[in-house]
Amino acid sequence: MGATYREFKGLNLPAFEQEMLENWASQQAFEKSISLREGATPFVFYEGPPSANGMPGIHHVISRTLKDLVCRYKTMKGFQVKRKGGWDTHGLPIELGVEKELGITKEDIGKKITVEEYNKKCREAVLRYKDKWDDITRKMGYWVDLKDPYITFRNEYIETLWWILSELYKKGLLYESVSIQPYSPAAGTGLSSHELNQPGTYKDVKDTSAVAMFKAVDNAKSKFLFDAAGDDQVFFLAWTTTPWTLPSNLGLTVGANIDYVLVKTFNPYTHLPVNVILAKALLGKYFKEEGKDGDFEGYNEKIKLLPWKILTEFRGSQIEECRYEQLLPYEANSAANAGGDPFRVLVDTFVTTEDGTGIVHTAPAFGADDYKVGKKYSIGILTMVDRQGKFVDGLGEFSGRYVKNYKDQKDYEDVNVDIAVKLKKENRAFKVEKYEHNYPHCWRTDKPILYYPLDAWFIKTTAVRDRMVELNKTINWKPKSTGEGRFGNWLENMVDWNLSRSRYWGTPLPIWRTEDGAEEICIGSVAELNEGIRKASDVLGGDVNKNHLHEGILDLHKPFVDEIVLVSPSGKPMHRVPDLIDVWFDSGAMPYAQWHFPFENKEIFEKSFPADYIAEGVDQTRGWFYTLHALAVMLFDSVAYKTCVSNGLVLDKNGNKMSKRLGNVVDPFTTIENYGADATRWYLVTNASPWENMKFDIEGIREVQRKFFGTLYNTYQFFALYANVDGFTFKEKYIPVAERPEIDRWILSSLQSLVKKVTVHMDDYEPTQAGRAIEDFVDEHLSNWYVRLCRRRFWKGEYEQDKICAYQTLYECLETVCRLVAPVSPFFSDMVFRNLNAATGRFNAESIHHIDFPSADESVIDPLLEERMQLAQDTSSLVLSLRKKVNIKVRQPLQKVLIPVLNPAMQEQLQKVEDLIKAEVNVKGIEYLDAGNSFISKKIKPNFVALGKKLGAKMKAVSALLANFTQEDIASLEKQGYYDLDVAGEIVRIETAETEISSEDIPGWTVAAKGVLTVALDITVTPDLEAEGNARELVNRIQKIRKDNGFGISDRIDLKLHAPDILKESLAQFKDYICAEILAETIEWVPASETGTDIEVNDIPLKINVLKKG
RNA sequence: AGAUCCGUAGCUCAGCCUGGUUAGAGCACUACACUGAUAAUGUAGGGGUCAGCAGUUCAAAUCUGCUCGGGUCUACCA
């Protein structure tokens, strides 16, 4: 006896996986999957580097499953897919983690701990959970090269970043500018957008808001206003929720096309007559309709209703360049200090009339929009608040006061209120009220942030915006909306990339400049820096760079780079600007930096750029997806990736985001340990399209395990059991499919159709559809139809043609399904494949991951065959439901079923699967009633698609007429091929093809119907049928006893039986059948007195003795 | 505030692109069968205002618009 198929003892996915992992490791299966494809077309994949300073979560498992399954699939499709792993090691989260651990804050760095020590801590912390990550990578079956990963803190990596920066610098795309950034005075630090987007940073708060009155200056520009007012008091109304910015006010911004009005009224606080300007659309916010053109003469402070009157109306563009008197003048905020030409009316597009007054108080220091418009008009800038968050000196009574309660002072008095009070007293406030709005807070101190001007370095991404948009259109986004909507939109509205971070642990910006800022240099390589180090030492002398002269610079991080002094062409010392760069630059530069390009690996880089495929969470859209794209466009005028799959979030089963805080995170380790990586991966892929948010529920994995893997497992076990008995090892010649039985040709046709479908979906990056198709095949077709119907073929009869056909067919199905499943669930598929291949040696390969993905054999696909098998399945299902209805069990044979056929083709189809149906539902024969048979009653309904187009509005009437058709009408239509209907006096001719006729009923029979298929069952049980039923019942009981006693399936038995005469008679009639079924030589009839097991056959008691032979 | 995805049975999802008259599947539940694959399987049953409103159409879960609810990203508003 040759090799045998390994039979499992139970479905234990985690144990199988453990075994496979050991095999993979000892055989170097992953490495081989790549080396075996040496010379093949590369398929380029980029691994988005995870940060190993946090534990991996289940959401990492989904994105990595997506990465892995595509790489495995492409490998099986014949590509060589190298996957270099990587680690993201810089950035704020790491620093914050270290600070928390050491119990220090940012301010302590350089004081309580040196920068060198601090960065050393960061370097240690960064790969803290690397073991855990490696572990989950291995256990989940993610094949990625972790032996030689790129690590972003390495000098080589940083050197490439510097090279890129210097390239951008040369192209004039790297520049320094002031920018208004979120800043936390309480924490004394600028905040990154990441920090600002921590949950809970935006809070609804009530602030004192004020509508301030800015007094217009009477000059040529504004003359028309004063003329209209007939007064020397004209005010611009501007609203603010941050009155503390008013001392820094330098402009008022209006919309060019917004309509404004000059209104005569009274100040509600001082009751003095005033003329105010505001947007027409916002009049209703400040004035009641009843007060319009009201009683000015009779107004006094007791009267609540303000009278008002529109004096004139004009566009914003008409008041551009009007001037006004400074609202809160002090020594510190003079126009001279502002350094521009302030206190003018400006025009810009960001002004709306949604709230406020349509005139925007503009303080360039404290708002991004303000800064932009201020620069456009050169109104200068005033920063009347220091970095601690308090007013600077020279602001009178406000100097030294905190603009918000940053120091948790118990007796803190809101300076905003005081400013409002002052304005009220001075006839400069028109409306003061508490206003509730959403305002960002520092996540660490819980204090409101403010927007503050800080120096920063930018990459001028806006210069290549159009090209980025254009190239984006060539990227295959999954789903499309991410690329077109979310990403495309983001590109359209892009601003320059703010690179600066004032932190410690990150890539230093390689720019050195002289103290006066007149000369600067951007270093592009370590060699260039080392050369500069020596040169500066030579030129400047002394101790300059003395620690770095010998070996050059050894670590490109702080504080070492900051020790380096370079020398300018004019001989002046240059120091590095202190900024670090955004970590997103690190990851966006990964295509180049992972290869230390252009210093090394030029050829490798050229072959691996751009990527064919990347995949990450959709939250990376503005992160990695963006930075990859931006850098590729700026450096090489190319996309960085051709296909991008963005997966959605993994939510908990209630739809909430998983977070440590809520304690609803799913631990991937225990999940995989309990249910297996295969089931987990299969669940994640098939449950929902990857880009939809997924509600993660352990129950779903359990279901996958039971239903999909359980079925596959059972099918394999079934095959192995009998193949081992018969010694089938595929050594016989492959029997041409055409020579195999109908059912074999059918399952093979379905199999090839499946291969075709799965290939299309996989090529389209739709693994969910592929997985669902496979599931459907395994469950519906393979297990519940093919195996079920063919069971007997495997264990009955001799080892000859039909049996070999069955084995070859089932083997091919199992083998092919495994190959289809392999990319998604790599363990179990490999396991089963190896078990199969060990016996047959069909493939000269160690692992399923080293062979090709199946390609569909079109010649085997027979659509008509698949269609008629569907007919057989439907028919069987209907007959079974009829049996149920009249309570006749399937083991009781029945005489016949009756099927009305609507056309000869249908009959032909049914006849070909007649035997299957008969066997499946245990009937002796099938009779067909042809179309002309008047015995059947038919029903008719319109073919809505066809008739709807033709009839349009008459559809309803025709539908009603058809519903009333008699049997004669239908017969007439069928005979003539058309029928003339009278629709409200108009003759409408309908044709047979425009209707759907089906049989409804067969008088005197119990019928069931599904679609056009109707079946009727003859439920008469004749004595012969009853006897046969008894025989089958007995067989069933004996088989159960055999099994209960643990007999082998081929053990032969002796049977002793005592039965009442009525039963004895019918059993004797089927003696041969019974003996053959239960593997007995003969039935020995014994008297009642003998011992034995009591059983019942159709409610008749009998005694039975089953003994194993020999 | 903008962009985007989602909303169909108790739960997880199909169907929507391309409109067609009984809206499906699995799980769960109930009942009955079946049992040489048994951590299975079959049949039947209950369970739906297809988030809501309006429009287009002979016909809307499906197309359009608006609203509501949920998620994510981005922005932050004087």
Side-chain angles (χ1 to χ4, degrees):
Chain A
M1 189 148 167
T4 56
Y5 300 92
R6 171 171 162 191
E7 289 175 47
F8 295 117
K9 296 201 179 59
L11 176 60
N12 185 343
L13 289 177
F16 294 167
E17 290 171 12
Q18 202 49 50
E19 191 184 327
M20 286 314 303
L21 283 172
E22 283 159 24
N23 282 332
W24 286 351
S26 66
Q27 295 171 345
Q28 300 204 293
F30 170 45
E31 291 77 2
K32 273 184 203 162
S33 78
I34 294 169
S35 60
L36 284 169
R37 301 291 182 182
E38 203 56 66
T41 311
F43 179 83
V44 181
F45 163 75
Y46 289 162
E47 163 76 340
S51 177
N53 82 317
M55 285 283 278
I58 196 77
H59 54 290
H60 296 110
V61 176
I62 176 145
S63 62
R64 301 175 122 217
T65 298
L66 284 173
K67 296 173 184 182
D68 188 56
L69 74 89
V70 169
C71 290
R72 285 181 190 265
Y73 171 70
K74 291 293 176 182
T75 300
M76 291 179 81
K77 279 299 230 179
F79 296 91
Q80 187 182 38
V81 190
K82 292 183 177 160
R83 299 92 126 167
K84 192 178 176 72
W87 299 107
D88 192 14
T89 58
H90 283 147
L92 196 68
I94 293 152
E95 293 200 38
L96 296 175
V98 166
E99 283 163 34
K100 195 171 168 192
E101 195 180 319
L102 298 176
I104 60 170
T105 67
K106 195 191 172 198
E107 286 67 45
D108 297 326
I109 303 164
K111 293 174 195 150
K112 287 188 189 165
I113 179 171
T114 66
V115 173
E116 185 176 353
E117 284 164 347
Y118 177 77
N119 271 358
K120 193 166 164 241
K121 286 280 176 198
C122 287
R123 189 186 284 259
E124 285 162 13
V126 120
L127 294 176
R128 171 166 308 156
Y129 295 109
K130 181 173 177 295
D131 288 350
K132 289 280 179 195
W133 278 87
D134 286 348
D135 198 33
I136 200 74
T137 302
R138 202 177 70 91
K139 283 182 176 152
M140 69 166 286
Y142 179 34
W143 276 3
V144 62
D145 180 7
L146 291 176
K147 289 205 191 76
D148 181 28
Y150 63 93
I151 298 177
T152 58
F153 69 57
R154 285 204 183 138
N155 280 352
E156 293 77 20
Y157 199 93
I158 293 175
E159 189 180 22
T160 297
L161 302 183
W162 282 9
W163 171 77
I164 295 168
L165 289 165
S166 72
E167 287 295 302
L168 298 177
Y169 187 84
K170 281 181 215 156
K171 292 185 188 188
L173 294 172
L174 185 60
Y175 68 95
E176 189 189 28
S177 168
V178 167
S179 84
I180 309 301
Q181 294 165 45
Y183 176 82
S184 170
T189 175
L191 295 175
S192 66
S193 57
H194 166 258
E195 289 169 294
L196 214 53
N197 279 305
Q198 297 272 337
T201 46
Y202 282 87
K203 297 181 191 188
D204 283 325
V205 287
K206 274 194 170 169
D207 279 324
T208 301
S209 74
V211 173
M213 297 161 63
F214 294 82
K215 188 162 186 285
V217 172
D218 191 353
N219 62 14
K221 268 272 167 199
S222 58
K223 186 163 184 301
F224 79 104
L225 296 169
F226 287 89
D227 286 350
D231 193 349
D232 62 348
Q233 301 261 322
V234 171
F235 295 94
F236 297 105
L237 296 186
W239 179 63
T240 180
T241 54
T242 50
W244 58 266
T245 58
L246 288 171
S248 303
N249 171 279
L250 292 170
L252 293 172
T253 309
V254 297
N257 294 320
I258 296 174
D259 289 319
Y260 293 87
V261 285
L262 175 66
V263 177
K264 180 183 166 75
T265 185
F266 293 93
N267 180 313
Y269 302 113
T270 62
H271 314 288
L272 296 169
V274 289
N275 304 295
V276 297
I277 296 166
L278 73 161
K280 191 183 179 189
L282 289 159
L283 271 171
K285 258 187 132 80
Y286 303 93
F287 301 104
K288 292 217 168 86
E289 195 53 39
E290 301 92 286
K292 189 170 184 188
D293 299 324
D295 179 9
F296 281 82
E297 297 301 318
Y299 177 80
N300 63 50
E301 56 199 70
K302 302 251 168 60
I303 294 175
K304 284 269 152 60
L305 184 68
L306 279 182
W308 59 281
K309 184 174 156 191
I310 294 177
L311 299 174
T312 183
E313 193 176 326
F314 45 91
R315 284 291 173 96
S317 53
Q318 286 172 262
I319 52 171
E320 185 178 10
E321 296 293 355
C322 280
R323 289 179 178 273
Y324 61 90
E325 290 174 13
Q326 187 172 15
L327 187 71
L328 295 165
Y330 293 96
E331 13 170 340
N333 63 354
S334 64
N337 286 349
D341 179 13
F343 313 128
R344 288 184 286 153
V345 175
L346 324 172
V347 166
D348 206 345
T349 49
F350 66 83
V351 181
T352 68
T353 54
E354 258 154 44
D355 40 27
T357 62
I359 302 175
V360 178
H361 143 61
T362 304
F366 303 117
D369 286 335
D370 304 43
Y371 181 80
K372 204 177 71 195
V373 66
K375 206 162 181 188
K376 194 167 81 186
Y377 284 89
S378 303
I379 57 175
I381 185 165
L382 282 173
T383 311
M384 293 295 103
V385 175
D386 66 15
R387 293 201 175 197
Q388 278 78 55
K390 60 181 195 305
F391 279 119
V392 298
D393 290 342
L395 287 177
E397 69 267 42
F398 299 121
S399 288
R401 292 186 62 181
Y402 285 93
V403 302
K404 294 273 154 126
N405 189 7
Y406 288 119
K407 296 288 173 190
D408 278 328
Q409 294 164 322
K410 277 221 175 75
D411 53 350
Y412 176 79
E413 282 179 32
D414 191 349
V415 73
N416 295 291
V417 174
D418 293 346
I419 291 172
V421 168
K422 180 180 165 86
L423 293 177
K424 277 188 191 174
K425 283 187 191 150
E426 294 181 351
N427 192 33
R428 288 293 182 273
F430 196 76
K431 192 173 188 182
V432 172
E433 62 180 358
K434 289 278 182 191
Y435 180 78
E436 186 170 339
H437 63 159
N438 205 247
Y439 199 81
H441 289 67
C442 171
W443 63 278
R444 223 162 62 190
T445 62
D446 248 5
K447 297 291 182 199
I449 63 119
L450 45 88
Y451 289 86
Y452 204 85
L454 300 170
D455 283 333
W457 286 81
F458 291 85
I459 293 179
K460 208 182 199 100
T461 44
T462 48
V464 290
R465 175 196 295 151
D466 294 345
R467 188 61 183 147
M468 284 178 74
V469 168
E470 205 176 306
L471 284 168
N472 178 44
K473 288 179 182 148
T474 68
I475 297 171
N476 176 30
W477 284 90
K478 298 300 283 190
K480 236 180 173 43
S481 58
T482 301
E484 280 173 5
R486 188 179 282 210
F487 194 65
N489 215 277
W490 161 255
L491 291 180
E492 305 275 359
N493 299 314
M494 162 208 311
V495 294
D496 282 348
W497 181 359
N498 183 348
L499 265 193
S500 290
R501 296 291 182 271
S502 36
R503 301 292 317 191
Y504 297 91
W505 176 241
T507 302
L509 191 67
I511 291 178
W512 275 258
R513 62 156 60 135
T514 53
E515 196 164 0
D516 60 6
E519 294 169 89
E520 68 180 26
I521 183 172
C522 181
I523 295 292
S525 71
V526 172
E528 188 185 349
L529 182 60
N530 283 334
E531 198 183 315
I533 287 172
R534 283 189 296 273
K535 194 175 160 202
S537 169
D538 292 347
V539 174
L540 300 169
D543 283 346
V544 165
N545 299 337
K546 65 169 180 172
N547 294 330
H548 305 283
L549 282 173
H550 186 56
E551 294 176 281
I553 190 155
L554 296 177
D555 183 349
L556 302 185
H557 285 96
K558 271 173 169 279
F560 310 105
V561 277
D562 293 339
E563 295 168 5
I564 308 288
V565 180
L566 299 180
V567 64
S568 75
S570 68
K572 286 189 204 141
M574 298 198 290
H575 293 273
R576 199 182 74 80
V577 303
D579 304 51
L580 299 183
I581 63 168
D582 184 6
V583 278
W584 286 113
F585 191 94
D586 286 13
S587 47
M590 147 287 162
Y592 330 98
Q594 69 171 336
W595 300 115
H596 193 206
F597 177 85
F599 305 99
E600 285 182 80
N601 301 318
K602 273 195 169 160
E603 314 74 48
I604 296 182
F605 166 73
E606 271 151 28
K607 270 189 234 156
S608 55
F609 181 84
D612 288 295
Y613 170 70
I614 61 169
E616 299 292 332
V618 69
D619 52 338
Q620 294 294 337
T621 308
R622 270 88 173 211
W624 197 49
F625 297 160
Y626 174 68
T627 57
L628 275 177
H629 189 58
L631 289 178
V633 172
M634 286 189 288
L635 292 170
F636 293 102
D637 190 37
S638 163
V639 295
Y641 43 88
K642 295 177 186 166
T643 291
C644 178
V645 173
S646 68
N647 59 274
L649 291 187
V650 183
L651 309 169
D652 74 5
K653 65 175 180 183
N654 299 318
N656 297 312
K657 194 177 175 177
M658 288 186 188
S659 75
K660 274 189 198 147
R661 193 170 50 85
L662 294 172
N664 59 352
V665 282
V666 173
D667 175 19
F669 292 98
T670 52
T671 306
I672 287 176
E673 269 156 36
N674 291 339
Y675 304 99
D678 272 348
T680 307
R681 291 170 58 131
W682 191 267
Y683 166 72
L684 289 172
V685 168
T686 56
N687 181 57
S689 279
W691 31 89
E692 275 172 37
N693 289 342
M694 147 172 302
K695 290 181 192 161
F696 186 91
D697 188 359
I698 283 286
E699 277 308 312
I701 301 184
R702 208 173 293 193
E703 190 182 323
V704 160
Q705 193 187 42
R706 207 175 56 227
K707 199 154 170 57
F708 180 64
F709 289 97
T711 307
L712 202 53
Y713 165 86
N714 281 333
T715 308
Y716 169 80
Q717 284 288 80
F718 172 83
F719 168 82
L721 180 69
Y722 294 109
N724 284 338
V725 170
D726 285 319
F728 170 79
T729 57
F730 227 119
K731 58 183 181 290
E732 295 82 9
K733 213 168 108 244
Y734 187 83
I735 298 167
V737 175
E739 289 169 25
R740 299 193 197 185
E742 175 101 351
I743 193 157
D744 290 1
R745 283 188 285 118
W746 165 75
I747 193 72
L748 290 171
S749 171
S750 302
L751 180 70
Q752 294 307 321
S753 296
L754 174 71
V755 170
K756 208 168 141 184
K757 219 181 290 173
V758 169
T759 305
V760 167
H761 289 316
M762 291 299 282
D763 284 340
D764 196 23
Y765 298 91
E766 293 273 5
T768 307
Q769 304 306 325
R772 284 175 178 170
I774 297 170
E775 265 177 356
D776 192 54
F777 174 84
V778 168
D779 189 46
E780 292 298 316
H781 292 154
L782 187 60
S783 171
N784 281 328
W785 194 249
Y786 182 77
V787 173
R788 196 153 57 84
L789 261 57
C790 291
R791 278 202 305 249
R792 295 178 68 86
R793 294 171 65 197
F794 291 91
W795 54 267
K796 281 294 282 187
E798 298 306 310
Y799 187 69
E800 37 58 61
Q801 177 86 3
D802 179 68
K803 207 169 194 178
I804 296 168
C805 281
Y807 279 126
Q808 289 193 349
T809 303
L810 183 53
Y811 184 99
E812 189 176 341
C813 288
L814 282 168
E815 184 188 78
T816 308
V817 165
C818 284
R819 290 159 76 193
L820 295 176
V821 166
V824 178
S825 291
F827 294 98
F828 188 62
S829 54
D830 201 10
M831 180 78 131
V832 173
F833 171 80
R834 286 169 185 235
N835 290 350
L836 293 173
N837 210 45
T840 65
R842 299 229 305 157
F843 285 89
N844 180 24
E846 279 171 351
S847 165
I848 198 168
H849 304 293
H850 299 164
I851 67 170
D852 285 348
F853 204 73
S855 59
D857 181 352
E858 297 273 354
S859 70
V860 176
I861 297 176
D862 180 347
L864 275 178
L865 173 56
E866 290 186 39
E867 180 195 288
R868 66 179 168 265
M869 197 58 79
Q870 188 61 50
L871 221 44
Q873 290 179 336
D874 290 344
T875 306
S876 302
S877 160
L878 289 172
V879 173
L880 290 174
S881 91
L882 285 174
R883 276 181 172 275
K884 167 73 194 159
K885 200 181 277 174
V886 294
N887 248 327
I888 300 176
K889 59 179 85 175
V890 181
R891 264 200 302 275
Q892 175 60 57
L894 290 172
Q895 200 53 51
K896 67 180 176 193
V897 293
L898 216 52
I899 305 179
V901 289
L902 299 163
N903 51 56
M906 181 174 168
Q907 177 165 352
E908 205 178 307
Q909 285 282 70
L910 276 165
Q911 275 168 336
K912 284 184 178 164
V913 289
E914 209 179 280
D915 289 342
L916 290 176
I917 298 170
K918 287 192 293 195
E920 176 65 9
V921 301
N922 198 14
V923 298
K924 301 286 178 197
I926 298 178
E927 277 178 30
Y928 302 94
L929 294 171
D930 67 31
N933 199 316
S934 56
F935 182 46
I936 316 163
S937 85
K938 294 179 177 171
K939 74 178 165 201
I940 185 166
K941 69 175 187 182
N943 177 342
F944 282 94
V945 180
L947 266 185
K949 286 207 177 73
K950 174 166 148 187
L951 298 177
K954 287 190 284 264
M955 193 66 219
K956 270 203 171 128
V958 170
S959 185
L961 287 172
L962 284 179
N964 288 328
F965 257 36
T966 61
Q967 292 298 315
E968 289 72 35
D969 292 333
I970 296 172
S972 158
L973 168 64
E974 285 186 309
K975 201 169 164 195
Q976 294 180 77
Y978 64 88
Y979 194 99
D980 289 330
L981 287 169
D982 180 355
V983 183
E986 193 185 338
I987 298 299
V988 174
R989 173 165 293 189
I990 57 166
E991 292 172 25
T992 320
E994 291 164 345
T995 65
E996 279 166 18
I997 297 168
S998 56
S999 51
E1000 187 172 37
D1001 202 10
I1002 302 169
W1005 292 66
T1006 35
V1007 300
K1010 180 186 176 186
V1012 293
L1013 183 66
T1014 305
V1015 299
L1017 182 65
D1018 181 351
I1019 54 170
T1020 319
V1021 180
T1022 62
D1024 275 354
L1025 289 172
E1026 190 181 356
E1028 192 181 340
N1030 287 338
R1032 294 182 72 141
E1033 191 73 18
L1034 178 71
V1035 168
N1036 166 257
R1037 296 304 134 112
I1038 295 170
Q1039 299 290 31
K1040 194 171 164 60
I1041 289 167
R1042 282 181 62 112
K1043 198 181 169 195
D1044 290 346
N1045 291 347
F1047 293 0
I1049 51 170
S1050 52
D1051 290 340
R1052 305 197 73 83
I1053 57 164
D1054 281 329
L1055 178 66
K1056 291 181 184 175
L1057 196 62
H1058 169 80
D1061 287 347
I1062 30 161
L1063 204 54
K1064 191 170 172 180
E1065 203 172 300
S1066 52
L1067 295 180
Q1069 192 184 335
F1070 288 94
K1071 176 170 165 277
D1072 292 344
Y1073 160 78
I1074 295 170
C1075 289
E1077 288 293 316
I1078 63 172
L1079 299 181
E1081 297 296 328
T1082 181
I1083 300 174
E1084 189 183 338
W1085 300 95
V1086 295
S1089 56
E1090 293 240 358
T1091 54
T1093 317
D1094 287 313
I1095 59 167
E1096 278 185 359
V1097 165
N1098 293 331
D1099 299 329
I1100 305 166
L1102 67 168
K1103 250 188 191 358
I1104 190 169
N1105 236 323
V1106 179
L1107 281 173
K1108 187 149 89 176
K1109 253 195 146 161

